[in-house]
Amino acid sequence: MEKLAELFRKKISSTSLDFVRSLEGQINWDARLICIRGARGTGKTTLMLQHIKKTFGNNLSKVIYVSLDNLYFADNSLVDFADSFAKRGGTHIFFDEVHKYSDWSKALKNIYDDYPELHIAFTGSSLLEILNARSDLSRRALVYNIQGLSFREYLNLLAKTDFPVLTLEEIIENHESISADIVSKIRPFEYFEDYLKFGYYPYFLEGKDDYYDRLNETVNMILEIELPLLRKLDVSYIARIKKLLTVIGKSAPFIPNTTELASKIQIARQTLLQYFQYLEESRLIFQVFKESRGLGTLEKPDKIFLENTNLMFLLGKAETNTGNVRETFAFNQLSKNHEVLFSEQSDFLVDKKITFEVGGKNKKRKQIKEIPDSFILADDIEFGTDRRIPLWLLGFLY
């Protein structure tokens, strides 16, 4: 344990508090069991270490952070580790990469039930199942989902600004005054294009030259390691899922012909729908439907998006279309806190009441003007007017 404590203190000493994501302030850290779930590369580890540093400072005697891919846990159980830590007066344990530990859910349940003096926070893959895990932690754990940086966070990080989160209602009702205030402090389009290409995953801070190499490695690790580990998928099928993701990447967002696509990938139609589900759970794609669907329901999606625009530039490369990038950005930012459905009359129906059509600066409301609560999300404009809202402003929703 001493070695783990030493590694923890080393990590804390190198953790910067210059930029802390807003999710850190939204988590109820007083809860006894907290799960932070998200795709690889979205900043789960940093978020947890920053909270420790903010909360405990240099007084680290009662807290510890450990990554469960550490070789220590090859020979030592999680429960024994928690027991030893509690006997030394420890009160807060932060487990990282919990999915790397076999039977993690049962171990966490036992620690939670048997050591009421301990507060436990843990991170895991977006594929992590809390509800369906064998020990069902859903009644015990508060679950928070983290996604990549919003455009607002990207601006705050790079431009050293302090813009707050906006609600969709605030944007719709006050976008003219809000955009004017923001533009008086910063020029959004000085940053927007780079955000769409490089700004979603925090590791862009380590350099843009190898950003897509890192992103490609992230995608491969999700497909080759996390999917087989957490969905028990035979590794021999991974090549087909990669091929499917490449097909989606070159044309997303698109309306899939499942029969044709299944034939192209050489799999059964039902298997194709299952692969869509895996890719969505991995936070690599979004499936869009006309109606809300139940948990675990396998249905043909009406449209498929890549999860974020950075993935579009990785997978689509030269075939990336400006209109598709705009729609993907809008869907990504809206879907964080809202239900986004497919619409026959427009691009999106949000929360079953707000209609959005996405386009360039000259986009007209002709096709949606008769629809109540309908708006244009226009790119290439700094300021909006009436029902024309600047597209970039959606980047302030989280």
Side-chain angles (χ1 to χ4, degrees):
M1 181 175 285
E2 287 73 17
K3 180 63 175 177
L4 293 176
E6 182 183 341
L7 290 172
F8 160 53
R9 290 171 184 269
K10 185 177 180 181
K11 278 187 174 289
I12 286 293
S13 67
S14 61
T15 297
S16 171
L17 295 178
D18 290 346
F19 170 78
V20 180
R21 299 191 65 181
S22 55
L23 179 61
E24 191 275 333
Q26 298 165 9
I27 294 173
N28 178 14
W29 295 102
D30 292 329
R32 283 198 52 228
L33 189 62
I34 297 164
C35 170
I36 303 170
R37 185 172 57 183
R40 178 178 292 275
T42 50
K44 301 184 295 293
T45 300
T46 299
L47 181 76
M48 199 153 63
L49 290 170
Q50 287 177 327
H51 170 72
I52 296 171
K53 191 164 188 172
K54 282 180 61 179
T55 305
F56 297 93
N58 294 322
N59 184 19
L60 301 176
S61 60
K62 295 183 180 295
V63 59
I64 194 166
Y65 157 95
V66 290
S67 178
L68 297 193
D69 61 359
N70 191 290
L71 289 175
Y72 173 90
F73 293 103
D75 299 316
N76 297 274
S77 79
L78 213 57
V79 174
D80 287 344
F81 172 83
D83 177 75
S84 178
F85 182 68
K87 286 175 179 176
R88 298 183 185 197
T91 58
H92 291 74
I93 303 180
F94 294 80
F95 292 126
D96 202 7
E97 301 273 20
V98 73
H99 55 277
K100 298 291 183 68
Y101 183 87
S102 177
D103 220 1
W104 60 270
S105 60
K106 182 178 179 181
L108 289 183
K109 176 186 177 296
N110 288 340
I111 295 170
Y112 178 89
D113 291 344
D114 297 339
Y115 299 89
E117 69 272 33
L118 291 179
H119 286 71
I120 306 152
F122 63 97
T123 72
S125 163
S126 56
L127 288 159
L128 204 66
E129 289 188 306
I130 304 299
L131 176 63
N132 298 321
R134 185 163 57 177
S135 300
D136 189 3
L137 297 175
S138 61
R139 291 178 294 106
R140 297 171 172 83
L142 290 182
V143 181
Y144 297 88
N145 293 301
I146 186 172
Q147 65 183 57
L149 294 171
S150 68
F151 181 49
R152 179 193 70 88
E153 291 176 309
Y154 180 80
L155 285 175
N156 285 348
L157 179 56
L158 279 194
K160 310 301 181 186
T161 50
D162 190 26
F163 294 121
V165 172
L166 300 172
T167 66
L168 186 56
E169 291 73 19
E170 287 173 327
I171 289 175
I172 289 173
E173 293 175 10
N174 305 308
H175 66 87
E176 293 182 41
S177 60
I178 290 172
S179 58
D181 179 62
I182 293 171
V183 172
S184 72
K185 300 169 183 173
I186 198 168
R187 305 307 292 264
F189 289 108
E190 185 179 344
Y191 298 89
F192 192 50
E193 184 177 352
D194 269 5
Y195 169 78
L196 296 175
K197 293 180 178 178
F198 303 105
Y200 193 68
Y201 297 90
Y203 47 69
F204 77 86
L205 291 167
E206 299 174 37
K208 291 181 182 177
D209 290 344
D210 62 350
Y211 181 82
Y212 290 119
D213 291 333
R214 289 174 178 271
L215 184 51
N216 188 62
E217 181 182 352
T218 295
V219 172
N220 282 333
M221 292 186 74
I222 290 171
L223 298 180
E224 296 172 3
I225 297 176
E226 293 186 0
L227 263 181
L229 177 66
L230 295 172
R231 290 296 176 272
K232 309 303 179 188
L233 192 68
D234 191 313
V235 293
S236 63
Y237 293 107
I238 299 302
R240 294 181 182 181
I241 293 185
K242 282 187 176 182
K243 185 176 181 180
L244 174 61
L245 186 61
T246 300
V247 170
I248 294 171
K250 289 182 177 179
S251 52
F254 77 118
I255 299 173
N257 181 325
T258 51
T259 301
E260 182 181 309
L261 195 53
S263 176
K264 186 173 184 177
I265 307 296
Q266 297 182 313
I267 54 176
R269 182 180 181 276
Q270 196 66 13
T271 303
L272 176 67
L273 297 180
Q274 185 67 71
Y275 285 0
F276 285 157
Q277 184 78 3
Y278 288 157
L279 289 172
E280 184 172 61
E281 291 170 346
S282 302
R283 306 294 289 179
L284 293 173
I285 68 168
F286 282 123
Q287 300 182 85
V288 192
F289 299 85
K290 293 178 183 176
E291 301 289 342
S292 303
R293 57 180 177 141
L295 289 174
T297 303
L298 289 181
E299 299 176 4
K300 175 187 175 296
D302 294 289
K303 209 169 189 179
I304 294 179
F305 287 84
L306 288 177
E307 200 270 346
N308 63 80
T309 59
N310 290 189
L311 287 173
M312 296 185 75
F313 286 98
L314 171 70
L315 298 170
K317 298 183 173 60
E319 299 177 47
T320 301
N321 174 275
T322 299
N324 292 347
V325 171
R326 290 167 177 161
E327 285 188 42
T328 299
F329 167 77
F331 190 95
N332 173 273
Q333 306 285 295
L334 283 164
S335 63
K336 175 68 169 66
N337 296 311
H338 298 273
E339 181 184 39
V340 186
L341 297 176
F342 177 84
S343 171
E344 297 279 9
Q345 300 165 296
S346 65
D347 287 319
F348 305 121
L349 179 63
V350 177
D351 297 333
K352 298 182 179 178
K353 61 181 181 180
I354 305 170
T355 295
F356 285 122
E357 182 71 14
V358 182
K361 62 183 178 182
N362 296 318
K363 184 75 174 181
K364 307 298 183 185
R365 288 191 64 244
K366 183 177 180 180
Q367 71 186 77
I368 60 171
K369 66 179 181 179
E370 303 299 329
I371 303 175
D373 297 321
S374 60
F375 304 87
I376 295 292
L377 296 172
D379 196 9
D380 299 320
I381 62 171
E382 288 187 325
F383 310 96
T385 54
D386 192 25
R387 291 176 177 267
R388 291 174 55 79
I389 300 172
L391 176 65
W392 59 265
L393 199 52
L394 289 189
F396 286 63
L397 286 171
Y398 73 90

